[in-house]
Amino acid sequence: MTNFSAKLSSIAPYAFCITTLMAALSGCGGGGSSTPVNFSNTNTPTTETPSANLPTFDASVISKNDPGSNLGDQWRQGPFMEIYVRGYQDSNGDGVGDLRGVIQRLDYLQELGVQGIWLMPISKSEDKDHGYAVKDYRDIETQYGNLTDFDELLKQAHARGIGVILDYVMNHSANTHPAFINASDTSTNAYRNWYVWKDSAPAGWNIFGNNPWYNTKNGAYFAAFYSGMPDFNLRNPAAVEFHQNNLRFWLNRGVDGFRFDAVGNLIENDAGNWESQPESIALMGKVQENIAQYSKRFMVCEAPGNPLAFAASNSCGNAFAFKHNYDIVNAAKGQTSAIQAVADYFNTAPLTIATMISNHDEFAGARLWDQVGGNLTQYQLAAASYLLQPGTPFIYYGEEIGMASAGSLSGDAKLRTPMSWSSNTVNAGFTNATPFRALSANVSTQNVTSQGQDPHSLLQFYKSLIQLRKHRPSLSQGNYSNATVTGKVLSYQRQSGNEISWVIINYGSENTTLSIKNLVANTKLASIYPSNQLQLTADSGGIAALNVPAFSIWVLTNN
C-alpha cells in the first residue's frame, strides 16, 4: 500500500499489517463474513443550514483526446526509476526539488538506461511532502512548478525515449479537498455521497491499528489511513467517474500511464472484509479499460495484500511483486529458503509483474544499503536478482549508487532524502541552498560524481546489467524455465525466439560446480556477463560443467 508512516507520522500501525502479510501471505483483514455495510449516506436529512461560500472545484467531464505516443513499443518493459520529485533536483534555489530539476537530470536517466519514470504524487496536496493527501487532482504542487513545466518534462522525456507515469490516489483525498469540505458541511450536500458516511462511528473496526471512523457534528466519515485523508465512496458511480475524468485529463496531456496507490483499500465491505475485496479488483478492471483506450500506456498497482489478484488481466493488469522483494534481499544474504522462493516465484507469477528491492515506504524495506549493512557484494547479488529475472523492474532513486537512509531521521522521511549527486555534505549537489531535509548518511562516498568515472563502481554495475537486459530480448521479455537451486546457486534459462540466456547466481561463500544440462552435444557456451570471461563446451551427453565462484553472477549464451 502507500507510504503509511508519512501519512500517519508513524509506521507502527502498518507494520502490523505487513507482519500479517508476510506470515499469512493473504494480506491484512479477511476473516468473517457478515453482511456488507451500506456505505451510502445513511444520515436522515435534517434542516441543516448550508455554510456560505463553500468551495468549488473542477469536476468537468473530460472526453478522450489521445495525442498518441512516439515511444517505442519496448518502453513499458523498463526499467523504471521511481522519483520523489521533492528530493531529486532543485532547479530554482529554494531547497526543494521540482519538475525543472527532473528535466535537468533526464540525460543522466537516459545514460543509465531507464525507459520510464514514476513520479511520486505531483498534484497539489495538503501534506506538501509525500503528496498522497491530494486537494486538487488537476493541477501541480506549487513548489514543483506548473502545468507548463510538466508539459515540458513530458516533451523532453519523450525526446529521450523515456515514458512518464504519475502516482494517482483514487482511494482518498485530503480533508481539505473542496469535495470533502462540501460533503462534511451538511448531510444533504450534493457531494455527501462522494465519501463514506454513517450516522455515528461504528465499533469493531481495526485498520492499521486504528478505528477508521471519525465523528463529526453531522455524522462519521471513513478514513482508512488517518483522519486527514477521507476515503471516497467508490460504490458511487459519480465519484468513480470523477476519477476516470481526472485520468483522461492527464492522458490527454500525453502522460504515459499511472501507478495506482493503495488499491487494496478502495472498497470495504465490513470490519472483517476490507482488504483486497472483489469489488476493488473489479473496479480497477474498469480503470484499465479507460487507460487502454490510449496508445502505448502503462499502469501498475500497489496491492501488498494480494498482488497477483490485481495483476490479473481483468484488474490492473500489473502490480508490484510484494514479498518477492523481501525474498530477493534474504537470498542475497545467503538464506537458502529465500533462494528457493526467488527461483520459484515466476513459476506462477506473471512474467511482466513489477519487481523491486525497496521503495519510498518503510514497510517495503529500508534502503537496500541499510538492509545489507553496506555489503556491496550482497547489494549486487540483490540487484542482479531482479534485473535478470522476468518482470518490469522499478529502481528507487539513489539505489543505483547505494544511497543510505538519513541517519538523523525516522520513518518514511529517512528514505526520501535529497538525491546524492555529489559528495558535498552540505547540499549533495541537489541544491545551492539549504536542502529541505537531511541528506543520506553516506553522501560523501556513495554519490553520482564519484562513481561516474569509476568502471568498478555500483553505478557502472547497474548500467552494465540494464544495458544487457535492454539489448537481449531473452532477458527483457523472454520466458522463464528450468529454475534450479543447487546449494546456494540459482540457475535458470530465459528464451525469446532463438535467443537463449542462461543465468547463474551464486549467493554462497563457496565455489560450486554446476552442471548445465539438456544441451545439444558439443554446444558451445560463452559468458556475456562478465563479458568474455569463459567458454564452455557440452559433452556428448549434452552437459556442460561450470565452476561457479563464490558470490558471482553469470549470464551465458550459445548465440
Side-chain angles (χ1 to χ4, degrees):
M1 299 171 193
T2 191
N3 55 331
F4 300 118
S5 63
K7 291 178 177 178
L8 304 174
S9 301
S10 170
I11 195 66
Y14 197 63
F16 164 80
C17 174
I18 293 302
T19 299
T20 304
L21 166 67
M22 294 178 69
L25 302 184
S26 59
C28 297
S33 57
S34 57
T35 303
V37 174
N38 181 359
F39 279 157
S40 62
N41 180 5
T42 59
N43 282 17
T44 302
T46 68
T47 56
E48 299 158 309
T49 301
S51 301
N53 302 316
L54 286 170
T56 61
F57 64 102
D58 182 5
S60 60
V61 173
I62 305 291
S63 299
K64 172 196 168 188
N65 184 18
D66 185 5
S69 173
N70 64 356
L71 296 174
D73 292 333
Q74 286 75 41
W75 83 269
R76 290 168 291 187
Q77 296 168 3
F80 283 75
M81 179 70 74
E82 179 191 354
I83 292 177
Y84 175 47
V85 173
R86 185 172 297 272
Y88 205 60
Q89 179 65 62
D90 171 22
S91 73
N92 60 6
D94 65 355
V96 173
D98 47 52
L99 295 175
R100 292 280 171 180
V102 176
I103 293 171
Q104 291 176 6
R105 297 300 185 176
L106 287 174
D107 286 342
Y108 166 80
L109 293 167
Q110 182 184 31
E111 183 181 353
L112 180 59
V114 166
Q115 298 195 100
I117 56 177
W118 153 25
L119 301 180
M120 286 177 62
I122 60 171
S123 298
K124 287 186 175 178
S125 70
E126 181 62 28
D127 59 84
K128 297 187 183 300
D129 188 333
H130 52 79
Y132 290 96
V134 180
K135 63 181 183 181
D136 189 339
Y137 281 88
R138 300 184 186 180
D139 204 356
I140 301 294
E141 176 61 47
T142 304
Q143 287 185 309
Y144 294 170
N146 53 42
L147 286 169
T148 300
D149 296 326
F150 180 73
D151 290 342
E152 184 64 19
L153 171 58
L154 283 180
K155 176 183 175 181
Q156 294 297 331
H158 291 167
R160 293 165 174 80
I162 298 173
V164 179
I165 68 172
L166 300 182
D167 216 324
Y168 192 85
V169 188
M170 191 171 176
N171 180 70
H172 54 262
S173 72
N175 62 357
T176 55
H177 192 286
F180 186 74
I181 293 174
N182 277 267
S184 59
D185 184 58
T186 66
S187 60
T188 55
N189 185 278
Y191 290 107
R192 182 71 165 189
N193 201 31
W194 277 38
Y195 293 86
V196 179
W197 293 89
K198 289 186 70 66
D199 291 329
S200 60
W205 285 75
N206 187 324
I207 297 181
F208 314 135
N210 296 290
N211 186 334
W213 294 92
Y214 296 89
N215 284 311
T216 71
K217 62 182 176 64
N218 60 355
Y221 67 91
F222 183 86
F225 294 107
Y226 93 109
S227 60
M229 297 194 303
D231 279 36
F232 281 103
N233 175 15
L234 296 175
R235 298 181 191 274
N236 179 357
V240 173
E241 190 57 24
F242 169 67
H243 288 294
Q244 297 278 39
N245 280 310
N246 293 338
L247 297 176
R248 285 189 285 268
F249 172 86
W250 293 107
L251 290 165
N252 289 352
R253 296 191 85 91
V255 165
D256 301 294
F258 302 91
R259 175 265 189 189
F260 286 92
D261 181 64
V263 299
N265 298 81
L266 298 180
I267 295 175
E268 294 83 5
N269 281 314
D270 55 53
N273 296 280
W274 54 266
E275 165 70 37
S276 300
Q277 296 300 290
E279 296 89 341
S280 298
I281 295 168
L283 175 58
M284 290 313 299
K286 297 296 183 183
V287 171
Q288 184 186 181
E289 290 177 7
N290 183 18
I291 296 171
Q293 299 302 307
Y294 292 76
S295 174
K296 297 181 184 177
R297 300 311 202 266
F298 176 89
M299 67 180 283
V300 61
C301 290
E302 179 202 38
N306 197 344
L308 296 184
F310 285 94
S313 60
N314 65 342
S315 187
C316 296
N318 204 345
F320 285 100
F322 283 98
K323 189 181 180 298
H324 186 52
N325 55 312
Y326 309 128
D327 288 331
I328 288 172
V329 175
N330 286 327
K333 295 178 179 179
Q335 186 182 106
T336 303
S337 60
I339 298 170
Q340 188 65 57
V342 171
D344 294 342
Y345 187 76
F346 284 100
N347 291 334
T348 55
L351 298 184
T352 57
I353 199 165
T355 55
M356 61 177 182
I357 295 177
S358 64
N359 64 20
H360 61 281
D361 284 331
E362 193 174 39
F363 82 81
R367 279 196 173 270
L368 182 59
W369 182 271
D370 300 307
Q371 291 192 63
V372 300
N375 184 314
L376 281 172
T377 297
Q378 292 178 355
Y379 202 113
Q380 292 178 335
L381 290 170
S385 297
Y386 86 109
L387 290 174
L388 296 176
Q389 267 197 320
T392 304
F394 278 75
I395 301 167
Y396 187 40
Y397 81 100
E399 176 194 312
E400 74 277 15
I401 55 171
M403 269 179 62
S405 301
S408 60
L409 300 175
S410 61
D412 290 340
K414 70 183 180 182
L415 309 178
R416 306 171 191 170
T417 58
M419 175 69 176
S420 297
W421 294 108
S422 77
S423 60
N424 188 312
T425 55
V426 175
N427 59 35
F430 160 77
T431 181
N432 56 16
T434 301
F436 74 99
R437 179 170 290 160
L439 303 178
S440 166
N442 62 1
V443 61
S444 63
T445 57
Q446 303 302 121
N447 58 77
V448 173
T449 300
S450 64
Q451 294 189 32
Q453 302 304 315
D454 179 359
H456 304 294
S457 69
L458 190 58
L459 179 59
Q460 298 301 332
F461 171 81
Y462 268 78
K463 284 183 181 180
S464 62
L465 284 189
I466 291 170
Q467 291 303 320
L468 179 64
R469 184 183 183 278
K470 285 178 64 176
H471 290 105
R472 286 190 68 79
S474 57
L475 294 177
S476 61
Q477 55 194 291
N479 63 14
Y480 180 77
S481 63
N482 300 320
T484 304
V485 175
T486 304
K488 293 189 176 183
V489 176
L490 166 63
S491 62
Y492 53 87
Q493 180 178 311
R494 302 198 61 193
Q495 181 171 358
S496 177
N498 293 325
E499 181 187 278
I500 303 175
S501 296
W502 287 265
V503 178
I504 301 101
I505 302 176
N506 187 350
Y507 298 100
S509 58
E510 297 180 357
N511 295 355
T512 301
T513 299
L514 180 71
S515 295
I516 302 175
K517 301 178 181 179
N518 300 317
L519 300 171
V520 175
N522 303 315
T523 296
K524 295 184 182 301
L525 300 179
S527 66
I528 51 176
Y529 187 89
S531 61
N532 304 317
Q533 293 293 303
L534 63 82
Q535 291 188 344
L536 301 173
T537 302
D539 62 20
S540 59
I543 298 175
L546 173 66
N547 178 42
V548 188
F551 306 124
S552 64
I553 303 157
W554 297 88
V555 181
L556 309 179
T557 183
N558 64 344
N559 301 104

